[in-house]
Amino acid sequence: FSVSLHTPGADYPNNQTAAVPIPIDLTSAQPSVATVPAQITVSTGTRTATATLTATGAGTTTVTASGVDLVPATSGTITVQQP
């Protein structure tokens, strides 16, 4: 999955790029269902970062992305079949 930047109030809020690297903390609500890396980084000059979600068991979970001076965002429900 990927995390994208959005800058409310900007002339082009969905087309902004990072001026410096931006660390993004990731958490899975149910690590027994799926795990994610603890942190990813949006690199300078880009607007997205990609992470791998690893299935660990059947069930549902969500993933939350957060960071310093960032508004946390939570995914929709992720359903994992038997891995």
Side-chain angles (χ1 to χ4, degrees):
F1 66 93
S2 65
V3 175
S4 299
L5 299 177
H6 174 80
T7 309
D11 288 337
Y12 302 98
N14 294 320
N15 198 24
Q16 304 296 308
T17 59
V20 298
I22 301 173
I24 308 290
D25 299 320
L26 301 176
T27 54
S28 171
Q30 297 294 328
S32 62
V33 174
T35 60
V36 292
Q39 192 173 76
I40 57 176
T41 301
V42 177
S43 300
T44 302
T46 66
R47 63 177 185 249
T48 62
T50 303
T52 299
L53 180 133
T54 302
T56 55
T60 61
T61 190
T62 58
V63 174
T64 299
S66 61
V68 175
D69 295 329
L70 300 175
V71 176
T74 300
S75 71
T77 301
I78 298 165
T79 302
V80 176
Q81 303 296 326
Q82 189 63 32

